[in-house]
Amino acid sequence: MEDLQTMKTCLCIIGSGPAGQTAAIYAARAELKPILFEGGMANDISPGGQFTAAICIENFPGFPEGITGRELVDRCRNQSLRFGTQIFTETVTKVNFSSRPFKVFTDLRTVIADAVVVATGAIVKQLSFPGSNSFWKRGMSACAVCDGAASIFRNKPLAVIGGGDSAMDEAIYLTKYGSKVYIIHRRDTFKASKIMQNRALSNPKIEVLWSSVVVEAYGEGERGVLGGLKVKNVVTGEVSDLQVSGLFIAIGRDPTTKFLGGQLELDSDGYIVTKPGSTHTSVRGIFAAGEVQDKKYRQGITAAGTGCMAALDAEHYLQEIGSQEGKSD
Ligand code: NAP
């Protein structure tokens, strides 16, 4: 067993998606010598976050031909290393934000930091039914904006599970590509806001299967891609066949905030509350960036933007308190 190490820094960044790495690039260029924890399969997601699962990212500016999520993440990582970010492939297990300097703990070390950027993202809630793993990224997805334009979905019937704003958003977006979009919802009323419901319900390409749940996904011939679903009506118990080439799960996400142990203000869905127009959290000196504080936009580019904001906010804060920690090491 390795000895626990204690390290000091001006700025510790937790998370390695576009938000965390952008914060690191800006902070490292400002000579704050940031320490970044990229996670070691935290929540079963590779270092780099949700992007690592994306087969082709076509909406991140600067890559007109598209880029794989893995390559984009590696490029961000290399860029932050180039300017001097110290990266550890470790998962943060707990923090102490109740006294200054702050403390960030992994199983191998403790980092003492004058400021911290939390950029730990969120994980999509998953469903488990026969076939739910077999067709993941082979017809099944949790992000219409990321995957909806793929050729396997073009002019084909598609389905979305969920009854919240995300499900409405996904379904409306998918009508651009699919021949028809079914919303499969477990109850007979939506949870979504009225305006989003109305938009979805008035779209001629959308049909709602109320009080219904997916009980099985099956493949299409030998191709190993999704061919259809068995859908059960929870009121009548009847199971029917629904031939679709795409299934998008939109039943909510869980922001990764448990390790914070209630030390930052969270909203009712568990997202970190930031002061409007900034990345300041309820604790001065702690900043939040990316999806862990954004349930509305949830895009790589918006995460990167708030990562930049967090580094600039942290730099101003460190100047205010006269922190020299990383600079003198
Ligand atoms: P959400 O509001 O929590 O809705 C989740 C939906 O999934 C609910 O309808 C729920 O059903 C259903 N669901 C949950 N678990 C399920 C399961 N095991 N099986 C089947 N269905 C299940 O999540 P969200 O839609 O992702 O929205 C999260 C937050 O982001 C909300 O505050 C939302 O307003 C916001 N958001 C805003 C926008 C926008 O402004 N454009 C877009 C997306 C999200 P029940 O209804 O039965 O509970």
Side-chain angles (χ1 to χ4, degrees):
M1 172 115 180
E2 283 180 62
D3 286 341
L4 283 181
Q5 246 190 16
T6 299
M7 305 170 79
K8 288 184 177 178
T9 182
C10 286
L11 181 65
C12 180
I13 298 167
I14 311 172
S16 52
Q21 292 294 9
T22 304
I25 291 163
Y26 273 78
R29 292 191 77 249
E31 298 184 351
L32 298 176
K33 297 193 174 157
I35 289 176
L36 181 148
F37 287 113
E38 66 178 352
M41 293 307 288
N43 294 313
D44 286 335
I45 299 178
S46 306
Q50 297 180 69
F51 254 9
T52 55
I55 297 159
C56 184
I57 295 169
E58 292 180 321
N59 52 11
F60 202 95
F63 301 97
E65 314 301 331
I67 182 168
T68 67
R70 182 76 266 164
E71 194 186 343
L72 185 53
V73 158
D74 288 346
R75 282 173 174 248
C76 294
R77 189 178 194 275
N78 289 339
Q79 197 170 348
S80 89
L81 283 172
R82 178 183 157 207
F83 294 109
T85 305
Q86 227 180 327
I87 299 179
F88 294 104
T89 311
E90 293 165 26
T91 300
V92 172
T93 51
K94 61 178 179 171
V95 294
N96 184 343
F97 294 161
S98 62
S99 58
R100 287 155 212 274
F102 306 115
K103 291 197 184 74
V104 175
F105 304 89
T106 74
D107 286 343
L108 298 179
R109 73 195 76 238
T110 300
V111 165
I112 297 174
D114 291 326
V116 177
V117 172
V118 180
T120 44
I123 47 169
V124 286
K125 286 187 191 159
Q126 287 293 1
L127 283 175
S128 178
F129 47 77
S132 58
N133 290 331
S134 319
F135 305 107
W136 195 248
K137 294 287 169 189
R138 305 175 72 83
M140 282 178 64
S141 163
C143 179
V145 176
C146 320
D147 300 324
S151 58
I152 56 167
F153 301 130
R154 298 262 171 164
N155 300 315
K156 299 278 174 49
L158 309 172
V160 174
I161 301 179
D165 281 339
S166 295
M168 305 301 119
D169 251 359
E170 300 268 296
I172 294 163
Y173 186 82
L174 287 169
T175 57
K176 282 200 269 192
Y177 304 110
S179 55
K180 171 154 194 141
V181 179
Y182 297 94
I183 298 178
I184 303 169
H185 182 41
R186 63 182 177 181
R187 290 189 298 121
D188 60 0
T189 51
F190 281 142
K191 182 179 175 185
S193 56
K194 274 279 172 276
I195 185 165
M196 296 295 289
Q197 290 192 34
N198 291 342
R199 261 182 224 161
L201 292 170
S202 62
N203 190 311
K205 275 191 168 182
I206 293 179
E207 180 180 335
V208 183
L209 304 182
W210 299 104
S211 306
S212 297
V213 295
V214 173
V215 289
E216 188 186 333
Y218 59 84
E220 184 201 289
E222 302 293 296
R223 291 173 54 213
V225 295
L226 182 72
L229 307 169
K230 298 284 180 201
V231 179
K232 182 178 173 182
N233 183 303
V234 292
V235 178
T236 64
E238 189 189 334
V239 176
S240 50
D241 186 53
L242 187 69
Q243 292 190 0
V244 287
S245 299
L247 176 63
F248 292 77
I249 313 248
I251 60 168
R253 298 187 186 221
D254 286 323
T256 310
T257 50
K258 281 202 184 75
F259 72 100
L260 296 170
Q263 295 177 70
L264 295 182
E265 184 189 348
L266 307 179
D267 73 7
S268 57
D269 294 314
Y271 289 82
I272 297 176
V273 174
T274 49
K275 302 213 161 64
S278 82
T279 62
H280 291 265
T281 69
S282 56
V283 175
R284 198 164 166 261
I286 309 292
F287 305 87
E291 198 175 330
V292 75
Q293 54 83 57
D294 166 29
K295 63 186 174 195
K296 184 169 181 189
Y297 300 104
R298 310 195 244 202
Q299 300 301 304
I301 193 67
T302 49
T306 54
C308 160
M309 288 165 64
L312 296 179
D313 285 343
E315 192 184 353
H316 289 151
Y317 167 77
L318 291 166
Q319 275 166 3
E320 260 172 51
I321 65 165
S323 168
Q324 286 296 316
E325 195 55 67
K327 295 188 175 185
S328 58
D329 276 357

